[in-house]
């Protein structure tokens, strides 16, 4: 990125606003689900046991132990990493337009509610998945120069940094660990093909990533998973290889990966149509046919979920197979648009890499259960990176005047920020009140204490423990309630 004063002012402005926003959200987000377990003696027991037979997410586990015990560290980290998720994609795109920064911010504000709940709204999810995403973004920020014509240069400090970055990136979440190795190999091959040389930074990163992966998967938990001795995480052997892929693809994968991203899909559809209308000029008859077909798909698919599901309410298990293939077609149209109509081999390669990274990250999730929306936050991040990079290209080549979009984008960002801040203000106040209530009930001698559900639960991951359950027992321990205290869950008051 060209370090002009204007660029760094934009980066500082958007970064500061995003940091303060995510800082406040973290401040008002209660600990939930297995955060209570990590925050008590059980969490330290796992640590002292070196997480043996638990999982190989060593850094993610350590982060989770820290953020469930040190509130200021949790709030600061979630604020900083939330802001980094917003600004790094725009920095990778080398943009000098505040419109691109605002677009990146907006796209992360409109993540699906269930994805938000399992990442931003759950400390344990954030400790593993968002941190893994940041590690990938930092790596891409460093190696983005392989997509340029000029031979890359890495100073000694960056070259040394490749070792801790490569190892640490592998100790958060499994599918990101596998992806980092694939990405490292791709970067080395592409750099050699383009520049006829190997770069020490690339090699050190790949070697370190392989070492980190060996460290992760040497944990005994994975042997138990593959042997079928793990009751929670399993590898499905009831189906054949291709049968398994097809079954997961048409039931859950297409939803988590593409269709649930309603807001993002609308933006991707608009971006694709603008490319086809503005960039795809002076083309052959065959290309014209594909262009118009692509415009039809990019128009219909983003509106399918909100119209068919929410307006007409006709989506059901019977429509899943059609939806799955329609989602695949939408994705392939994005890929084909890049290959057929984006000029320049460097940009084609870069944009294709981002789109292919989506499916590379998702591939391991076909075979291991359970899988949830949190597993796809990094895939979502690559879609955002694709969007901001292609928008910057159109802006840079004068295909698109972003100045007219500044006010609408800023307005949308403000609306979503205010809505989130309102919701999490109510969540935080309600959580403070319910903790004070259960402690007061326990101090009065009650053996059964009532625990109210929090409002806007769709943006939190299991914020109220199931009774009876292991997490309910740990909730009692975490909040120092008398031994033997039993929880009774009651609904929250309906908010108008």
């Amino acid at each position: 990125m060209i370090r002009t004063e204007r660029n760094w002012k934009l980066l500082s402005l958007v970064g500061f606003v995003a940091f303060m926003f995510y800082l406040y959200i973290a401040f008002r987000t209660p600990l939930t689900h297995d955060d209570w377990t990590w925050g008590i003696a059980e969490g330290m027991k796992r640590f002292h046991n070196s997480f043996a037979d638990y999982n190989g997410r060593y850094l993610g586990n350590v982060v989770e132990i820290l953020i469930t015990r040190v509130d200021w560290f949790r709030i600061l980290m979630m604020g900083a990493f939330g802001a980094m998720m917003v600004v790094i994609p725009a920095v990778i795109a080398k943009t000098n337009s505040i419109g691109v920064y605002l677009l990146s911010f907006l796209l992360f504000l409109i993540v699906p509610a269930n994805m938000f709940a399992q990442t931003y709204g759950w400390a344990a999810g954030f400790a593993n998945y968002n941190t893994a995403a940041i590690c990938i973004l930092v790596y891409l920020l460093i190696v983005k120069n392989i997509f340029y014509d000029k031979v890359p240069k890495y100073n000694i400090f960056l070259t040394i940094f490749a070792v801790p970055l490569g190892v640490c990136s592998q100790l958060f979440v499994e599918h990101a660990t596998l992806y980092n190795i694939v990405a490292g190999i791709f970067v080395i091959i592409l750099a050699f093909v383009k520049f006829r040389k190997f770069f020490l930074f690339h090699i050190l990163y790949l070697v370190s990533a392989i070492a980190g992966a060996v460290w992760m998967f040497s944990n005994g938990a994975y042997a138990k998973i593959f042997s079928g001795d793990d009751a929670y995480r399993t590898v499905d052997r009831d189906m054949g290889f291709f049968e398994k892929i097809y079954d997961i693809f048409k039931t859950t994968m297409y939803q988590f990966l593409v269709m649930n991203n309603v807001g993002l899909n609308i933006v991707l559809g608009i971006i694709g149509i603008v490319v086809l209308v503005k960039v795809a000029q002076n083309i052959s008859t065959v290309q014209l046919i594909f262009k118009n077909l692509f415009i039809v798909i990019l128009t219909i698919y983003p509106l399918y979920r909100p119209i068919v599901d929410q307006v007409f309410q006709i989506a059901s298990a019977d429509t899943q197979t059609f939806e799955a293939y329609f989602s695949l077609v939408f994705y392939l149209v994005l890929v084909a648009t890049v290959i057929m109509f984006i000029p320049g081999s460097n940009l084609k390669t870069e944009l294709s890499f981002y789109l292919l990274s989506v499916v590379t990250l998702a591939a391991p999730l076909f075979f291991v259960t359970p899988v949830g929306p949190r597993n796809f936050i990094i895939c979502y991040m690559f879609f955002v990176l694709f969007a901001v990079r292609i928008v910057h290209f159109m802006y840079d080549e004068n295909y698109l005047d972003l100045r007219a979009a500044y006010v609408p984008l800023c307005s949308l960002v403000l609306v979503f920020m205010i809505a989130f801040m309102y919701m999490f203000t109510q969540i935080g106040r309600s959580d403070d009140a319910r903790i004070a209530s259960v402690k007061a009930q326990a101090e009065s001698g009650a053996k059964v204490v009532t625990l109210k559900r929090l409002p806007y639960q769709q943006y939190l991951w299991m914020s109220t423990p199931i009774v009876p359950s292991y997490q309910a027992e740990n909730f009692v321990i975490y909040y120092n309630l008398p031994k033997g205290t039993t929880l009774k869950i009651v609904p929250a008051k309906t908010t108008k």
Side-chain angles (χ1 to χ4, degrees):
M1 180 177 179
I2 301 173
R3 297 191 177 189
T4 65
E5 182 181 359
R6 183 184 178 193
N7 283 335
W8 288 102
K9 282 184 177 180
L10 290 174
L11 174 62
S12 301
L13 174 63
V14 179
F16 177 75
V17 172
F19 170 68
M20 295 304 296
F21 168 74
Y22 286 111
L23 193 78
Y24 182 76
I25 296 299
F27 171 64
R28 294 279 67 184
T29 301
L31 297 180
T32 65
H33 192 40
D34 57 351
D35 295 337
W36 303 312
T37 303
W38 286 105
I40 62 176
E42 179 62 26
M44 291 307 300
K45 180 181 176 182
R46 294 171 182 172
F47 174 77
H48 291 306
N49 197 33
S50 300
F51 309 109
D53 296 335
Y54 184 74
N55 64 39
R57 302 177 180 184
Y58 297 104
L59 279 181
N61 294 339
V62 170
V63 170
E64 174 67 354
I65 289 173
L66 286 172
I67 63 181
T68 53
R69 285 169 166 76
V70 185
D71 286 341
W72 68 264
F73 179 74
R74 171 176 58 84
I75 295 167
L76 183 62
M77 179 183 175
M78 294 179 77
F81 277 44
M84 290 169 70
M85 287 277 281
V86 168
V87 300
I88 294 180
V91 175
I92 291 173
K94 297 179 64 180
T95 189
N96 62 358
S97 168
I98 195 171
V100 178
Y101 284 101
L102 290 173
L103 176 63
S104 181
F105 198 176
L106 176 64
L107 291 177
F108 280 111
L109 287 171
I110 59 175
V111 297
N114 55 6
M115 186 181 290
F116 187 100
Q118 292 190 0
T119 51
Y120 298 94
W122 179 29
F126 194 98
N128 287 294
Y129 294 90
N130 294 59
T131 46
I134 293 299
C135 288
I136 292 173
L137 283 175
V138 170
Y139 174 63
L140 295 178
L141 181 61
I142 296 171
V143 302
K144 68 181 187 298
N145 48 19
I146 65 169
F147 299 113
Y148 309 155
D149 289 324
K150 189 177 180 181
V151 178
K153 292 183 179 180
Y154 305 99
N155 61 42
I156 185 63
F157 299 105
L158 274 181
T159 302
I160 295 172
F161 180 62
V163 176
L165 177 64
V167 174
C168 293
S169 298
Q170 304 301 74
L171 304 177
F172 289 104
V173 63
E174 293 79 6
H175 64 301
T177 297
L178 297 174
Y179 170 80
N180 288 329
I181 294 175
V182 175
I185 294 171
F186 171 84
V187 166
I188 289 175
I189 293 174
L190 179 62
F192 181 77
V193 169
K194 286 187 65 175
F195 307 110
R196 294 298 181 216
K197 64 180 297 187
F198 294 105
F199 298 87
L200 184 58
F201 176 89
H202 299 167
I203 295 172
L204 284 177
Y205 176 84
L206 178 60
V207 171
S208 301
I210 292 172
V214 171
W215 186 6
M216 166 179 268
F217 291 112
S218 64
N219 189 288
Y222 302 102
K224 287 186 175 182
I225 294 172
F226 286 100
S227 66
D229 294 331
D230 192 305
Y232 177 63
R233 297 157 297 187
T234 61
V235 176
D236 194 343
R237 295 184 176 85
D238 295 335
M239 299 182 184
F241 180 80
F242 294 106
E243 184 184 6
K244 175 65 176 175
I245 291 177
Y246 178 70
D247 182 70
I248 295 297
F249 163 70
K250 72 184 182 76
T251 53
T252 59
M253 183 64 69
Y254 81 91
Q255 296 185 46
F256 290 145
L257 191 60
V258 185
M259 182 158 277
N260 287 352
N261 306 329
V262 175
L264 173 64
N265 291 339
I266 291 173
V267 172
L268 290 174
I270 293 172
I271 290 172
I273 291 170
V274 172
V275 168
L276 292 167
V277 171
K278 295 282 189 177
V279 181
Q281 301 291 330
N282 301 318
I283 56 179
S284 67
T285 303
V286 173
Q287 287 178 310
L288 180 61
I289 293 172
F290 277 109
K291 170 183 174 178
N292 291 327
L293 178 61
F294 289 175
I295 289 175
V296 170
I297 294 169
L298 293 171
T299 302
I300 296 176
Y301 181 83
L303 300 177
Y304 176 88
R305 173 55 64 88
I307 292 176
V308 172
D309 190 13
Q310 298 174 13
V311 177
F312 294 106
Q313 299 183 350
I314 60 177
S316 66
D318 296 329
T319 63
Q320 279 190 335
T321 301
F322 168 76
E323 292 173 355
Y325 281 109
F326 199 13
S327 299
L328 177 61
V329 168
F330 177 73
Y331 170 81
L332 292 176
V333 164
L334 293 176
V335 175
T337 298
V338 170
I339 295 173
M340 295 177 64
F341 299 109
I342 292 293
S345 60
N346 287 342
L347 185 58
K348 283 181 189 288
T349 303
E350 182 180 359
L351 293 174
S352 298
F353 170 72
Y354 298 149
L355 290 177
L356 291 175
S357 292
V358 172
V359 294
T360 304
L361 276 158
L365 304 176
F366 279 101
F367 306 104
V368 179
T369 61
V371 173
R374 62 188 178 273
N375 298 99
F376 296 87
I377 185 66
I378 309 177
C379 299
Y380 188 98
M381 176 198 79
F382 271 106
F383 276 127
V384 173
L385 186 52
F386 169 80
V388 299
R389 181 65 183 93
I390 203 168
V391 167
H392 172 68
F393 152 72
M394 289 188 290
Y395 164 76
D396 200 39
E397 297 295 327
N398 296 317
Y399 289 114
L400 189 64
D401 182 5
L402 283 176
R403 288 174 296 180
Y406 289 171
V407 173
L409 282 172
C410 187
S411 300
L412 287 171
V413 168
L414 285 174
V415 166
F416 280 99
M417 285 177 61
I418 292 169
F420 271 108
M421 292 171 70
Y422 172 80
M423 287 191 298
F424 277 84
T425 297
Q426 301 306 311
I427 288 170
R429 288 176 177 173
S430 298
D431 185 65
D432 292 341
R434 80 169 182 174
I435 299 305
S437 174
V438 297
K439 288 186 174 181
Q441 293 175 66
E443 289 173 0
S444 69
K447 293 296 183 182
V448 179
V449 300
T450 58
L451 183 70
K452 292 183 179 180
R453 297 186 183 276
L454 298 178
Y456 307 107
Q457 291 183 95
Q458 68 271 32
Y459 287 96
L460 301 170
W461 180 239
M462 298 188 72
S463 57
T464 302
I466 299 171
V467 178
S469 73
Y470 180 61
Q471 301 302 346
E473 296 171 5
N474 291 337
F475 180 95
V476 170
I477 298 171
Y478 184 86
Y479 289 106
N480 297 314
L481 302 180
K483 187 176 181 180
T485 299
T486 302
L487 303 178
K488 179 182 178 182
I489 311 301
V490 296
K493 292 182 179 179
T494 304
T495 55
K496 294 183 180 180

